[in-house]
Amino acid sequence: FEFDNDTKYTYYRFDITKNAGEDITQLAEIALSNGVDAPPPPPSPMKSHVGDGPASSYTAKTHVGWTGKKALTYQGTHLEKGRAYSYNKLFDVNIKVTPDTQLSYDIHPEFTDKDQLDYSSTYVSIDLAFTDGTYLSDLGAKDQHRVKLTPQAQGESNTLYPNQWNERVSDIGKVAAGKTIDRILVAYDNPNGPGGFKGSIDDIKIDGHPEQQTYTSPVDSVNI
């Protein structure tokens, strides 16, 4: 879009008035130009695809998933200082959430730098979009370590260990009972860039009647 403008503004607002009858709108990689200088190149998008599993692991076999020969690979480059985020759709579904519904998955973040100081790959979680327009990440769902199931909270918790598989289990029925899951997403959200991120996810499961399991949080453990 081009328009004439001789006044400098701090903010610009996009008003979308028509959407071809769809119930959702998504925008990405918007760049503003002064009409003379070329706009900066867009950042590399996060990619999510079926891959061969982790290339490096301290505790598991490489180039396979946790239980199968393949796993979902997520990867990208966080180019700018400050926050960057991306939400990629994995599946369209139609799943009713019961009071007992449980979400679980296995995730294997990888170091992408030689010095192994960049933990960007841990700022990732599975998210769910519901038919009412809400998201699991906004509802306060927590995993078995009592950490919120959001990308930022997972990364800041230091409970996702790079170069090994980590199990995540969340009783989402406690916060989302009665809702219907519309899409399953993989989300990256890191407040501190730049950095590179890559990892594998396997065995995503949504169970309406899970077997009861007991998880012990590190703060509740006592070594005698």
Side-chain angles (χ1 to χ4, degrees):
F1 300 90
E2 294 184 0
F3 58 92
D4 295 328
N5 176 40
D6 296 326
T7 306
K8 294 182 179 180
Y9 294 98
T10 304
Y11 302 100
Y12 289 83
R13 182 176 67 187
F14 292 87
D15 286 331
I16 300 174
T17 58
K18 293 183 179 180
N19 193 23
E22 297 293 335
D23 58 358
I24 189 172
T25 299
Q26 292 182 320
L27 295 175
E29 299 183 2
I30 295 176
L32 299 180
S33 170
N34 59 11
V36 178
D37 301 322
S44 300
M46 178 173 77
K47 297 178 176 63
S48 53
H49 55 88
V50 176
D52 295 327
S56 176
S57 182
Y58 299 145
T59 59
K61 186 177 180 179
T62 57
H63 303 295
V64 293
W66 174 240
T67 59
K69 295 182 179 180
K70 299 289 185 178
L72 173 79
T73 296
Y74 65 87
Q75 62 184 114
T77 304
H78 186 153
L79 295 177
E80 302 296 332
K81 292 182 179 180
R83 183 189 179 201
Y85 60 93
S86 180
Y87 287 71
N88 286 12
K89 181 178 73 173
L90 301 179
F91 305 104
D92 286 311
V93 296
N94 184 14
I95 302 174
K96 188 80 171 182
V97 179
T98 72
D100 297 324
T101 296
Q102 190 176 80
L103 167 68
S104 62
Y105 59 92
D106 295 288
I107 181 169
H108 188 295
E110 293 184 52
F111 285 118
T112 60
D113 63 324
K114 294 181 180 179
D115 295 329
Q116 298 186 353
L117 298 176
D118 183 3
Y119 285 78
S120 297
S121 300
T122 65
Y123 285 80
V124 173
S125 70
I126 292 296
D127 203 355
L128 305 175
F130 300 102
T131 55
D132 62 1
T134 59
Y135 291 81
L136 182 67
S137 55
D138 296 327
L139 301 181
K142 295 182 179 181
D143 64 17
Q144 73 270 30
H145 302 297
R146 302 174 187 172
V147 177
K148 286 185 178 181
L149 205 62
T150 68
Q152 283 201 21
Q154 290 290 303
E156 292 170 354
S157 71
N158 295 321
T159 61
L160 274 182
Y161 300 106
N163 283 16
Q164 62 182 323
W165 286 101
N166 302 261
E167 184 181 33
R168 283 295 174 265
V169 180
S170 178
D171 295 322
I172 65 173
K174 294 180 179 180
V175 298
K179 293 178 180 289
T180 300
I181 304 171
D182 185 50
R183 301 183 304 281
I184 300 176
L185 314 168
V186 57
Y188 170 84
D189 193 341
N190 186 352
N192 300 306
F197 59 94
K198 182 181 180 181
S200 301
I201 298 176
D202 201 5
D203 295 343
I204 301 173
K205 184 177 181 181
I206 299 172
D207 193 343
H209 302 284
E211 295 182 2
Q212 295 296 318
Q213 300 185 52
T214 301
Y215 294 94
T216 302
S217 171
V219 298
D220 295 332
S221 301
V222 178
N223 295 324
I224 301 178

